[in-house]
């Protein structure tokens, strides 16, 4: 069986540094739709050296419509919350565990080619704010995040082991283009999983 994470002895690193974290080179994270904790759902994310970078642990007793993205040590980085009175098509991304002043608003696009629109929040989130579009299919693990100039920022891709054996839908790659914010990209993946997972 192919390994999902090569460095099992290095589960905790002190910050959200991604191996090869240089401005001129794409970085690749391995996203595993599995929590490190028993009887929890969530995500475990490794860099290209096998170090734990992000994790999400959803406990059965947690609040519905809320997911916390943490670093390897368990420090909350972003909280993703479903907007109240929304039918699942509107989410907010907050810094840490804050409940006010969202950083981004994510809306499902029903009539357009894009899956979702991610708007940066200034004082209030609005669809007119500069933002990002996500196109493709999250269900097929083939989608791209574009900025307002239509430059690819991040991409979700299927991951295959050496020899062409597939990992299935629970293990995939998150490719971060040069200068991309890994924390933002992973928060968008968490929202996509909540909307389309």
């Amino acid at each position: 069986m192919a390994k999902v994470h090569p460095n099992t002895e290095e589960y905790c690193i002190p910050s959200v540094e991604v191996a090869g974290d240089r401005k001129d080179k794409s970085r690749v994270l391995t996203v595993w739709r599995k929590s490190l904790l028993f009887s929890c759902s969530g995500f475990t994310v490794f860099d290209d050296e096998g170090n734990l970078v992000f994790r999400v642990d959803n406990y059965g007793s947690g609040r519905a419509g809320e997911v916390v993205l943490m670093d390897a040590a368990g420090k909350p980085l972003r909280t993703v919350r479903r907007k109240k009175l929304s039918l699942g098509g509107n989410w907010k991304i907050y810094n840490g565990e804050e409940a006010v002043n969202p950083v981004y608003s994510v809306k499902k696009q029903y009539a357009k080619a894009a899956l979702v629109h991610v708007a940066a929040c200034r004082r209030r989130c609005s669809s007119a704010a500069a933002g990002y579009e996500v196109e493709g299919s999250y269900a097929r693990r083939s989608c791209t995040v574009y900025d307002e100039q239509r430059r690819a920022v991040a991409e979700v891709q299927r991951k295959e082991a050496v020899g062409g054996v597939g990992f299935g839908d629970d293990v995939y790659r998150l490719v971060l283009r040069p200068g991309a914010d890994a924390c933002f990209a992973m928060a968008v993946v968490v929202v996509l999983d909540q909307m389309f997972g």
Side-chain angles (χ1 to χ4, degrees):
M1 183 171 164
K3 286 185 185 181
V4 173
H5 51 86
N7 293 338
T8 56
E9 70 277 355
E10 295 183 26
Y11 273 101
C12 288
I13 54 177
S15 65
V16 186
E17 294 297 319
V18 177
D21 202 2
R22 295 185 351 206
K23 300 287 183 206
D24 60 342
K25 182 180 169 191
S26 290
R27 300 162 289 162
V28 179
L29 302 179
T30 297
V31 179
W32 188 15
R33 287 186 70 234
K34 180 170 179 56
S35 172
L36 291 175
L37 301 177
F38 184 70
S39 74
C40 287
S41 62
F43 293 90
T44 306
V45 183
F46 301 93
D47 64 16
D48 59 356
E49 293 178 356
N51 299 311
L52 181 64
V53 180
F54 300 113
R55 63 185 237 209
V56 173
D57 302 314
N58 292 335
Y59 306 97
S61 62
R63 284 190 245 164
E66 179 176 286
V67 179
V68 179
L69 174 66
M70 299 175 282
D71 67 6
K75 176 185 172 191
L77 302 171
R78 298 282 187 269
T79 299
V80 175
R81 289 187 179 93
R82 183 179 333 197
K83 187 175 177 185
K84 292 182 178 171
L85 303 175
S86 171
L87 297 174
N90 202 345
W91 291 74
K92 303 285 186 200
I93 300 173
Y94 298 84
N95 276 327
E97 291 183 292
E98 287 183 9
V100 294
N101 301 323
V103 181
Y104 295 99
S105 174
V106 184
K107 290 184 180 183
K108 188 183 279 188
Q109 300 293 307
Y110 293 99
K112 297 183 179 181
L115 291 173
V116 298
H117 176 75
V118 182
C121 294
R122 292 186 175 66
R123 291 184 182 238
R124 293 188 176 165
C125 293
S126 70
S127 58
Y132 302 85
E133 296 282 335
V134 181
E135 296 179 1
S137 172
Y138 179 75
R140 293 187 191 126
R141 304 301 184 253
S142 176
C143 55
T144 305
V145 179
Y146 293 100
D147 67 9
E148 56 195 8
Q149 281 92 30
R150 291 288 300 161
R151 294 177 299 205
V153 174
E155 193 173 346
V156 173
Q157 302 173 345
R158 288 198 169 275
K159 182 176 176 99
E160 292 187 10
V162 177
V165 177
F167 282 104
D169 291 338
D170 287 341
V171 179
Y172 49 94
R173 298 167 15 125
L174 177 59
V175 180
L176 304 168
R177 300 298 176 213
D181 178 0
C183 191
F184 163 75
M186 191 58 211
V188 170
V189 168
V190 170
V191 173
L192 290 172
D193 193 73
Q194 293 298 304
M195 288 181 172
F196 304 104

